[in-house]
Amino acid sequence: MHEPAFSETELVSMYEELLAVQPRPETWDSAIVDPEAQQRADEAALMGIVRALYELEGPETIPSDTRAQYRSAINKLREIVGAVESVGSPQEILHDVPVLSPQEWISLVRTCVREQDGEAAETVVSLMKRSGAPELEEALNTTLDLYADRGDVGNTERFIATFIGQSPTERQRHLHIKAHLRSLPPKTFPSDALQVLHDYENRGLPAPMQTYTRAINHLFHIRSAMAEAQAWDLFAHMRYVAHPEPDAFLYTIMINACAPHVLEPQPARALDLWTEMTVDKGIEPTADAYTAVICACARSGQKAYVVEAFRLAKQMLDGHRDAYGNPAFRPNQKTFCALLEGAKRVGDLAKVRWILAEIISESLQAARGDLPSPVQVDDRIMVHVFHAYTAYKPPFKRSATLVVGDTPNAPSSSSSETAETTAPNRHESSGEVSPSLEAQEAADADSQPRVPQAPRASHFTTLLPQSNAEVLGEVQALFSRILNDASPSHTAPSPSAGADSTMPPAFENVRLTTPLLNAYLSAHYMHASFDDAVELYRTLFSKLGVEKNTWTYVDALERCGRARRGPERKFALQFAREVWQEWQPLEDAWRRGLPHPEGMDARMVERAYTAMIRILSLTGNLREGVELVRSFVARYPPDVVKQAAPKPELRSTRTALQGARPLVRLLTPVEVPDDRVPPLLSFQEVESLHHRLVAARDGESIRYLKWVCMSYAGALKRRKEAVLRAKPQPASSTGNADGEAEDA
């Protein structure tokens, strides 16, 4: 019998080496030693410097304060270098007998920088330069990093001109542009930083890839169409003029940008970049790269790409395991949120419940000590869960059930329901309003069964909820558990199901935020009766002490616009007037540029007015609806829509082989949407009012609505033409155009 060529220990060692995940290469931003250990070493070096310089003056002359210590050392060093300069060249004299070692010089500079004393750090650098000390570049970079972190452009450029000259190193060019980016307020287009970046290119000194990565990341965080288009163009330009092969970190940023923020979702481009990175370039994927491509596919909302997102998540877990079967990459909070968003967008409640159960299972494993850093259920995850319940359509419909004892010849409830829904639709489309029909609709609405309250005890089973009541039961059970775990002092504001004793206490990290309450409220808008949803709106936020935001009011108004015929519409009109009174001060604050709730923009204003116009039209308040349109036109006249924002010089599309702008573009001007259009009204927004006015034969109001719609349509057309014909303007004239658009 032959002995095996390798022992078990050798085989395990071999497979451990083969299946080990290679560490990420360090960059300037990640290659940082332990700051506490470095600080202790610098303090010890500073103490040694001071003692050596003041050795002849006695220990009582040595100060105890760090700032006083390095200032005393600088004063003594200035005296020594000055004395040597009076004799001869300090570089030649101090070369054989140096005053300080290279490491001591660097420790002294780092100490000054740590104390945010740029003047002292520059003095040390000047002394190093005069004395011919080595390691001068590291001292220059350390001091320049101080000004770059502050965003102090003036001192950065003065320091470069004084100590570095016209040929800075890659690191120094990176810090120069970093200072420009750090100096900008949030959501400001970095015209000056990009200008410096392209100036270095024209001088034959392209910035390193980390600089392009930082600039691209800054552009994506502005959250505007022009900035995102500029980021994509800068990525293509970088590959053309400076760095043809991006690293894994930059690939991750670009793949993550394919998820919809302002531009249209681009899942196909995300998969192309993923294939280029992992297959064509052979770059090992990271956990962040997997999360980015999963997020881009999931947020597309298309079923094929959502399926691909789940396939990539499985590959993330199973495709990179070590010799013991442990996954190299585990899904993090963002990964689970992306999968939840994909499942909810395609209406897959089963997957949403399964993912939530997996997250809770991780919490149980962590409680037992089997998992070191589990994903915790937080408010972002629960927002996706509640949205999934909102989008879910239960299969059971009370109107479609056949009551036992009905005769075969009797019309079924489903056919009667069809007659009830199609007949009003015919009258709505034709514009005819019949009093007898209205009375019949009111009687039908009174006879329709109300959605029952959720049961007091709810159990989560493998079977999906079969009715609206069961959906509400699960939603209320989850929210009750959140209140019990995250905020025990609060009680459930609505009739809630008793918490299941088998459910683990995994909701203590869920914060009671406005998006969470909006998502919980949206489930009631969809599955509860209108009266119950209104009562919850009036009590939920006040009892929990949470502020409402823009989505709160818009969701409430749009729910009123979906009210059924009969008494519900009258109650909806009353509730809409109540919400509208709360909305108007917030809109006025937004128009004046004052502090306003999160999410307020031109499109949300349009949605609020559209919902209010619709409910006024459905309840027969046509004159009030027309007056609301007049108020909208007075606040946002069509002439304002014509005025297009100036086009920055960096967005020039003129063909050139050299210039201070991207020479290669991925997006044409036609593909970049204009996200700075003021609020406007189209025929779709006022269609319901127009139909009612036609039925009422109000010719004057009909002509006015036609003029409004045509005016906004014409103004929007002229705006688009002006945007396409616009000539680039210098950076000084455009200024903060992109940042100001947030409050326009």
Side-chain angles (χ1 to χ4, degrees):
M1 183 175 180
H2 297 286
E3 293 184 0
F6 299 99
S7 64
E8 290 292 333
T9 305
E10 291 173 336
L11 286 173
V12 169
S13 176
M14 182 187 305
Y15 280 108
E16 283 180 347
E17 183 177 354
L18 287 173
L19 299 176
V21 179
Q22 298 298 326
R24 280 184 58 189
E26 291 184 342
T27 62
W28 291 328
D29 294 330
S30 62
I32 300 175
V33 298
D34 183 6
E36 295 182 359
Q38 188 179 74
Q39 182 176 354
R40 289 193 297 268
D42 292 341
E43 290 174 353
L46 177 61
M47 181 58 70
I49 293 170
V50 175
R51 286 177 178 174
L53 294 175
Y54 287 87
E55 183 178 5
L56 300 178
E57 300 183 17
E60 66 278 356
T61 59
I62 300 177
S64 58
D65 178 59
T66 301
R67 182 175 287 265
Q69 285 180 354
Y70 71 72
R71 286 189 177 276
S72 300
I74 290 172
N75 292 333
K76 182 63 69 173
L77 290 170
R78 188 184 289 113
E79 294 176 5
I80 295 173
V81 174
V84 173
E85 284 179 337
S86 63
V87 177
S89 174
Q91 287 87 352
E92 298 177 359
I93 298 175
L94 297 177
H95 181 269
D96 298 328
V97 186
V99 181
L100 298 179
S101 66
Q103 189 57 44
E104 287 176 333
W105 281 112
I106 298 301
S107 295
L108 186 57
V109 173
R110 279 200 300 258
T111 302
C112 298
V113 169
R114 193 175 293 111
E115 294 292 325
Q116 300 293 308
D117 194 344
E119 181 182 356
E122 286 192 39
T123 304
V124 177
V125 171
S126 177
L127 291 172
M128 292 179 66
K129 192 173 183 179
R130 289 163 58 187
S131 62
E135 305 294 336
L136 180 60
E137 183 177 337
E138 185 176 352
L140 291 172
N141 294 343
T142 303
T143 306
L144 195 60
D145 201 3
L146 170 65
Y147 295 136
D149 284 337
R150 288 179 179 175
D152 191 344
V153 177
N155 279 327
T156 298
E157 295 183 340
R158 178 188 56 78
F159 185 83
I160 291 175
T162 304
F163 294 98
I164 298 174
Q166 296 298 317
S167 299
T169 63
E170 279 196 351
R171 173 65 172 164
Q172 292 158 2
R173 298 196 291 271
H174 171 76
L175 294 175
H176 186 190
I177 299 170
K178 177 182 175 182
H180 279 277
L181 294 173
R182 283 289 185 93
S183 67
L184 298 175
K187 299 185 181 300
T188 304
F189 193 84
S191 300
D192 293 339
L194 296 177
Q195 188 70 36
V196 173
L197 179 67
H198 294 305
D199 286 343
Y200 276 127
E201 294 171 353
N202 293 334
R203 289 161 54 185
L205 299 171
M209 190 181 300
Q210 286 82 357
T211 308
Y212 288 93
T213 301
R214 182 180 288 273
I216 289 171
N217 199 33
H218 180 92
L219 287 167
F220 280 131
H221 279 81
I222 295 177
R223 292 290 188 267
S224 74
M226 186 179 70
E228 289 198 9
Q230 186 71 22
W232 282 105
D233 293 343
L234 184 60
F235 175 69
H237 172 81
M238 179 205 74
R239 303 187 70 176
Y240 176 68
V241 303
H243 308 286
E245 294 189 6
D247 56 8
F249 186 67
L250 183 52
Y251 268 120
T252 301
I253 291 177
M254 303 312 296
I255 292 172
N256 190 57
C258 294
H261 295 296
V262 179
L263 301 179
E264 291 294 322
Q266 306 175 77
R269 174 173 283 179
L271 292 175
D272 288 344
L273 289 171
W274 172 261
T275 303
E276 178 185 324
M277 181 184 76
T278 58
V279 178
D280 300 342
K281 304 299 182 183
I283 300 175
E284 287 294 327
T286 62
D288 291 337
Y290 267 110
T291 299
V293 68
I294 289 170
C295 187
C297 292
R299 287 186 179 177
S300 67
Q302 303 177 37
K303 190 171 183 179
Y305 288 113
V306 173
V307 172
E308 181 68 13
F310 278 90
R311 187 197 67 80
L312 288 167
K314 180 176 176 58
Q315 177 183 326
M316 178 182 180
L317 281 174
D318 298 339
H320 304 272
R321 294 185 181 270
D322 59 14
Y324 302 98
N326 300 317
F329 308 127
R330 297 195 64 88
N332 56 19
Q333 203 87 8
K334 189 176 180 181
T335 312
F336 277 115
C337 284
L339 293 174
L340 284 169
E341 186 162 1
K344 83 176 183 184
R345 285 178 182 268
V346 297
D348 195 342
L349 181 61
K351 272 195 174 66
V352 171
R353 297 170 82 204
W354 169 70
I355 294 172
L356 180 61
E358 287 295 318
I359 299 174
I360 295 175
S361 176
E362 280 201 4
S363 301
L364 286 176
Q365 295 179 33
R368 294 194 301 265
D370 299 336
L371 202 61
S373 54
V375 176
Q376 302 289 343
V377 180
D378 63 357
D379 47 284
R380 292 175 298 173
I381 286 176
M382 293 311 301
V383 165
H384 293 307
V385 172
F386 287 145
H387 282 165
Y389 278 103
T390 302
Y392 175 68
K393 297 180 180 180
F396 174 76
K397 295 182 180 179
R398 183 179 295 273
S399 59
T401 58
L402 180 63
V403 180
V404 176
D406 284 356
T407 59
N409 295 330
S412 63
S413 57
S414 60
S415 62
S416 63
E417 182 189 19
T418 305
E420 292 172 2
T421 55
T422 55
N425 289 338
R426 289 197 303 268
H427 283 273
E428 286 185 15
S429 60
S430 63
E432 299 177 0
V433 180
S434 172
S436 60
L437 179 60
E438 292 289 348
Q440 181 64 31
E441 289 171 352
D444 292 342
D446 292 336
S447 63
Q448 288 178 357
R450 295 170 62 89
V451 179
Q453 292 290 341
R456 303 299 297 179
S458 178
H459 300 277
F460 291 86
T461 63
T462 56
L463 185 66
L464 291 176
Q466 299 297 299
S467 64
N468 289 330
E470 292 183 8
V471 173
L472 286 176
E474 292 193 8
V475 169
Q476 291 173 350
L478 287 171
F479 193 73
S480 176
R481 190 68 184 186
I482 291 172
L483 292 179
N484 291 334
D485 290 352
S487 183
S489 59
H490 292 113
T491 57
S494 62
S496 61
D500 190 351
S501 59
T502 62
M503 186 178 293
F507 297 92
E508 60 268 13
N509 296 311
V510 179
R511 296 179 297 113
L512 297 177
T513 61
T514 305
L516 177 67
L517 300 191
N518 287 343
Y520 176 66
L521 193 57
S522 66
H524 286 75
Y525 287 151
M526 185 59 64
H527 300 290
S529 66
F530 187 79
D531 297 350
D532 294 338
V534 169
E535 182 62 25
L536 185 63
Y537 172 90
R538 290 170 174 168
T539 59
L540 182 66
F541 293 89
S542 58
K543 285 190 176 182
L544 297 180
V546 179
E547 295 290 334
K548 300 174 183 177
N549 65 4
T550 306
W551 289 96
T552 310
Y553 303 109
V554 173
D555 287 347
L557 290 171
E558 289 182 342
R559 175 62 183 91
C560 294
R562 299 193 303 269
R564 295 177 296 184
R565 289 180 174 83
E568 182 176 299
R569 280 191 180 170
K570 296 180 181 179
F571 186 37
L573 176 61
Q574 178 184 353
F575 176 58
R577 294 183 191 278
E578 176 186 332
V579 175
W580 191 253
Q581 291 297 323
E582 300 178 34
W583 161 268
Q584 286 182 312
L586 306 179
E587 182 194 351
D588 292 338
W590 174 73
R591 290 179 60 242
R592 294 184 173 90
L594 302 176
H596 53 270
E598 178 188 5
M600 181 75 77
D601 57 18
R603 307 289 78 79
M604 296 300 287
V605 171
E606 291 176 4
R607 290 177 59 178
Y609 273 89
T610 301
M612 194 62 192
I613 292 171
R614 176 175 173 78
I615 186 59
L616 290 173
S617 305
L618 295 178
T619 53
N621 294 274
L622 304 182
R623 183 57 54 191
E624 189 176 352
V626 174
E627 290 300 322
L628 186 59
V629 174
R630 293 182 184 275
S631 174
F632 181 91
V633 174
R635 286 170 172 254
Y636 312 103
D639 289 339
V640 178
V641 180
K642 301 177 186 177
Q643 303 169 6
K647 183 178 183 179
E649 190 174 10
L650 289 169
R651 297 300 303 161
S652 173
T653 56
R654 183 184 297 273
T655 303
L657 297 179
Q658 187 177 4
R661 60 179 177 83
L663 305 179
V664 180
R665 296 196 181 275
L666 287 181
L667 298 176
T668 64
V670 180
E671 295 175 308
V672 182
D674 187 357
D675 57 350
R676 292 171 284 183
V677 180
L680 54 85
L681 290 176
S682 64
F683 180 75
Q684 184 179 1
E685 276 79 33
V686 298
E687 184 176 5
S688 58
L689 177 60
H690 181 271
H691 289 339
R692 293 329 191 263
L693 291 174
V694 170
R697 302 182 184 277
D698 189 346
E700 180 181 355
S701 299
I702 293 173
R703 287 190 294 272
Y704 175 72
L705 280 187
K706 181 179 179 180
W707 174 83
V708 169
C709 296
M710 296 299 292
S711 297
Y712 279 117
L716 187 60
K717 180 181 178 181
R718 283 190 286 272
R719 180 188 181 94
K720 292 179 180 178
E721 294 173 351
V723 169
L724 293 177
R725 293 197 307 264
K727 295 182 179 181
Q729 301 294 328
S732 58
S733 63
T734 58
N736 189 23
D738 217 56
E740 292 173 355
E742 299 296 324
D743 299 325

